[in-house]
Amino acid sequence: MAHNAKYDLTVLRRHGLDVTGPIDDTLLMAWLLDPSSRSLGLKALANDLLDWPMTELSELIGSGRKQITIDQVPIAQVGAYCGADVDVTLHLFDLLAPRLAAAGLLSLYHEIERPLLPILTDMEMAGVLLDSTFLGEMSVTFTKRLAEIDAELVSVVGHPFNLRSTQQLSQVLFDEMKLPTRGLKKTASGHYSTAADVLDGLAAAGDELNTSQQRGLMLILEHRQLEKLRGTYIDALPQLVNPDTGRIHTSFSQTGAVTGRLSSSNPNLQNIPIRTEIGREIRRAIVAPPGWTLISADYSQVELRVLAHIAHEELLIEAFANDQDIHAVTASKLFGVPLETVTKQQRGLGKTINFATIYGVSAFGLSSRTELTQQQAKQFLDQYFQTYPRIRDYIEVTLQQARELGYVQTLLGRKRFFPELKSRALPVNQRMAVERAAINAPIQGTAADIMKIAMIRLHQALIDGGFQTRMLLQVHDELVLEAPPDELEPVTNVIRTTMESAYVLDAPLKVDVEVGPNWRDLESL
DNA sequence: CCATCTGGCCAC
DNA sequence: AAACGTGGCCAGATGG
């Protein structure tokens, strides 16, 4: 039972023991009241919110251990605990429900978060099928290449050293190999950073480097990438296959993100590589069972659509209504050229600025992620806000609300509190960072709300339709399902329709559905 | 030995 | 590295 604590909980539940329900229920309520509260743990519930009866389990929790997994508790004790906590749950519910009602959060609890809970349990229990053999072969290839890099680096540097140690690496690069440190910042612990973008920058300004310095940088960057992929995914995932089910069972945390998003752990299946070709290979290992098909359904540009809706920005709404390429539209307005003549570079800049808006823009941030100087970035931003004036209004109104009320809200009423904006005087950098979070929270949070509604309705639609097709993963704007062959055509229609109608936005929701034998080789439908 | 922090980096 | 939001995991370093 030592492989996956959350999965063991679901096994207990299958045997009729309601283990997670009462606890997760109250956890959800406390989280909705303040998503950024750090005192959501069982111990906090026990000590701060009520007089938790000192069962053996809570004694164990109170014994000072910071982490506890259910497989350390004999089943008999868990059973006793379950018997004991019914009264406690009622007590907690009675305590928290009026608070939720007063905060206007009760419908969010009853209509979204609570119904979602058993669906997440279903998804965790379902798990995903992993092709461990494929990853094993990948591991061999990676290990060989890593050894080659290692050997060549030893000859370049002149002695062996631990590449994984940033301290040793910093010493090798900047003390021994004498790479230029001009303009480089030191990390908190005092040595020069060896982050990939720093090394990229050094390599790009390559004129003053000799060939062995250049070669060294390239080898280190390649080593980093391969190490990361091997350590985090290729070698880690097969170890997490549950011997009973033969599948991987992630844990979804419903209270893990302050914006209302889910998070995933043990393993995190929300950060499987996709952006580089070599990383993307790993997705071939997430497979459908023989004869079945994997379905990926993802919301297209959901956060920009949410922004267009919340801000009532007509130009954006219209572009989405006409199903136009939104980044190209932005670029065409920014550069004052017809849509058809927008170049790749121009579209790229449009994309960067569209994204930057969602995260809370600044000229500095924009210039650091583009070729633009800070001056040029400022001009582009002015032009952007002239094009989309209601977005500027949205930012202003949101910040004003955060300052006056101390919180911001999603379309469905989810709140995130910013007491520091209401009361405290902050250093300007910190204040601006908090303000960016406040600008982003309603957008990211509304997208999360919409996805949760879609999951609840889709779960029901799959039951109503008598489908065997089941939801396996959620990756913020994407759902991954597996379907038997005869259901594929009807069920993809159900998925698309359900997701697109989950919430009516002025900029209508759009879903791209893809199918295939694994998570890499998908074809659009 | 375990827990926590740090630097780095994967995703949306 | 970064004055662009939200997460989790890895290995190394550090401390009880």
Side-chain angles (χ1 to χ4, degrees):
Chain A
M1 267 178 74
H3 33 270
N4 186 328
K6 191 63 174 283
Y7 177 67
D8 293 332
L9 286 182
T10 61
V11 169
L12 292 174
R13 175 179 282 183
R14 212 194 278 156
H15 289 287
L17 292 172
D18 192 3
V19 182
T20 62
I23 297 170
D24 285 353
D25 257 8
T26 47
L27 210 62
L28 277 178
M29 298 176 88
W31 173 69
L32 282 171
L33 284 167
D34 186 358
S36 51
S37 165
R38 288 191 203 108
S39 53
L40 286 180
L42 286 175
K43 196 182 170 191
L45 282 174
N47 293 340
D48 301 345
L49 293 177
L50 79 165
D51 298 322
W52 193 276
M54 289 304 284
T55 63
E56 286 171 272
L57 181 55
S58 64
E59 262 182 51
L60 196 53
I61 293 165
S63 67
R65 293 187 62 99
K66 283 285 163 52
Q67 287 175 354
I68 179 169
T69 51
I70 202 73
D71 56 9
Q72 292 169 292
V73 183
I75 287 182
Q77 287 184 26
V78 174
Y81 174 69
C82 289
D85 76 0
V86 173
D87 291 335
V88 174
T89 304
L90 290 175
H91 182 165
L92 264 181
F93 191 94
D94 292 345
L95 190 77
L96 294 178
R99 293 195 207 172
L100 281 175
L105 294 165
L106 208 49
S107 66
L108 197 57
Y109 171 77
H110 280 303
E111 284 159 36
I112 297 185
E113 298 301 347
R114 187 56 186 85
L116 185 66
L117 199 160
I119 297 173
L120 295 178
T121 305
D122 279 358
M123 292 165 69
E124 291 178 358
M125 288 180 70
V128 292
L129 190 59
L130 188 78
D131 185 345
S132 296
T133 309
F134 172 73
L135 289 182
E137 290 161 3
M138 247 184 126
S139 182
V140 171
T141 311
F142 274 48
T143 303
K144 263 189 209 146
R145 178 61 190 146
L146 281 163
E148 286 172 17
I149 296 172
D150 239 339
E152 194 181 341
L153 261 174
V154 168
S155 77
V156 169
V157 173
H159 63 87
F161 68 103
N162 186 352
L163 260 165
R164 298 188 186 98
S165 163
T166 52
Q167 293 184 20
Q168 286 186 43
L169 184 58
S170 182
Q171 193 182 338
V172 165
L173 286 176
F174 299 110
D175 294 346
E176 299 175 21
M177 295 182 72
K178 306 284 184 210
L179 273 107
T181 56
R182 184 168 15 91
L184 297 187
K185 301 222 167 100
K186 297 195 174 182
T187 63
S189 45
H191 56 269
Y192 288 107
S193 168
T194 64
D197 38 8
V198 174
L199 302 189
D200 276 336
L202 284 170
D207 298 353
E208 41 187 307
L209 303 187
N210 61 43
T211 47
S212 76
Q213 287 174 322
Q214 286 275 17
R215 184 70 186 148
L217 286 177
M218 289 300 113
L219 290 171
I220 288 161
L221 286 168
E222 189 186 353
H223 196 280
R224 277 261 179 78
Q225 183 190 22
L226 298 185
E227 268 291 322
K228 173 77 179 179
L229 297 175
R230 188 180 65 166
T232 307
Y233 308 102
I234 295 170
D235 288 350
L237 291 178
Q239 296 178 346
L240 290 166
V241 171
N242 185 295
D244 295 336
T245 65
R247 295 166 68 105
I248 291 194
H249 304 267
T250 186
S251 291
F252 289 107
S253 171
Q254 207 173 339
T255 56
V258 289
T259 53
R261 275 189 178 183
L262 302 178
S263 70
S264 157
S265 62
N266 299 310
N268 180 356
L269 292 181
Q270 290 180 323
N271 74 342
I272 303 300
I274 192 169
R275 289 174 194 196
T276 67
E277 196 44 53
I278 185 151
R280 198 187 180 112
E281 276 292 298
I282 292 167
R283 294 191 167 223
R284 279 176 68 178
I286 311 285
V287 297
W292 285 46
T293 303
L294 227 50
I295 303 173
S296 159
D298 75 286
Y299 280 117
S300 165
Q301 307 291 356
V302 61
E303 291 190 348
L304 276 177
R305 289 170 198 264
V306 166
L307 174 63
H309 176 93
I310 295 182
H312 306 290
E313 179 47 70
E314 271 309 320
L315 218 52
L316 265 184
I317 291 170
E318 198 181 317
F320 278 124
N322 296 330
D323 201 20
Q324 287 175 306
D325 176 342
I326 202 63
H327 301 315
V329 168
T330 296
S332 122
K333 304 292 182 195
L334 279 179
F335 292 97
V337 298
L339 189 56
E340 309 79 50
T341 67
V342 169
T343 65
K344 247 196 167 120
Q345 276 87 357
Q346 289 172 329
R347 184 184 183 277
L349 194 66
K351 183 176 178 179
T352 302
I353 298 189
N354 279 338
F355 266 107
T357 309
I358 293 170
Y359 300 143
V361 254
S362 73
F364 185 98
L366 197 56
S367 65
S368 68
R369 274 165 183 73
T370 59
E371 298 295 305
L372 302 176
T373 65
Q374 211 170 318
Q375 191 81 309
Q376 291 169 315
K378 191 182 174 314
Q379 282 179 358
F380 267 104
L381 277 180
D382 287 344
Q383 183 68 35
Y384 183 84
F385 285 130
Q386 234 163 25
T387 307
Y388 301 131
R390 302 299 284 271
I391 291 182
R392 170 174 277 169
D393 296 345
Y394 160 77
I395 292 173
E396 263 177 40
V397 169
T398 303
L399 289 179
Q400 193 175 337
Q401 190 198 342
R403 279 191 288 265
E404 285 173 8
L405 302 178
Y407 63 84
V408 299
Q409 278 181 295
T410 66
L411 278 185
L412 283 102
R414 184 187 305 280
K415 290 180 178 176
R416 179 171 171 192
F417 293 89
F418 293 94
E420 57 272 65
L421 288 182
K422 194 177 179 185
S423 55
R424 271 195 281 293
L426 287 177
V428 67
N429 283 0
Q430 278 182 45
R431 163 166 289 270
M432 291 182 75
V434 176
E435 287 183 350
R436 286 193 296 275
I439 292 166
N440 172 264
I443 304 169
Q444 193 183 118
T446 298
D449 294 342
I450 291 172
M451 175 56 101
K452 286 176 173 178
I453 294 170
M455 291 170 75
I456 293 162
R457 296 203 188 158
L458 181 55
H459 188 262
Q460 191 57 47
L462 292 175
I463 292 171
D464 293 346
F467 292 107
Q468 285 181 271
T469 299
R470 51 185 182 172
M471 267 188 275
L472 306 180
L473 301 176
Q474 187 254 45
V475 192
H476 311 305
D477 63 358
E478 175 188 12
L479 287 177
V480 178
L481 306 91
E482 63 183 12
D486 53 315
E487 294 181 8
L488 199 53
E489 199 191 322
V491 90
T492 49
N493 287 324
V494 171
I495 293 167
R496 187 194 305 276
T497 311
T498 308
M499 286 177 73
E500 288 185 345
S501 64
Y503 196 87
V504 178
L505 293 178
D506 290 343
L509 292 168
K510 186 187 171 197
V511 172
D512 295 322
V513 183
E514 297 178 309
V515 298
N518 61 61
W519 207 4
R520 190 197 71 156
D521 301 311
L522 298 171
E523 287 184 358
S524 290
L525 224 64

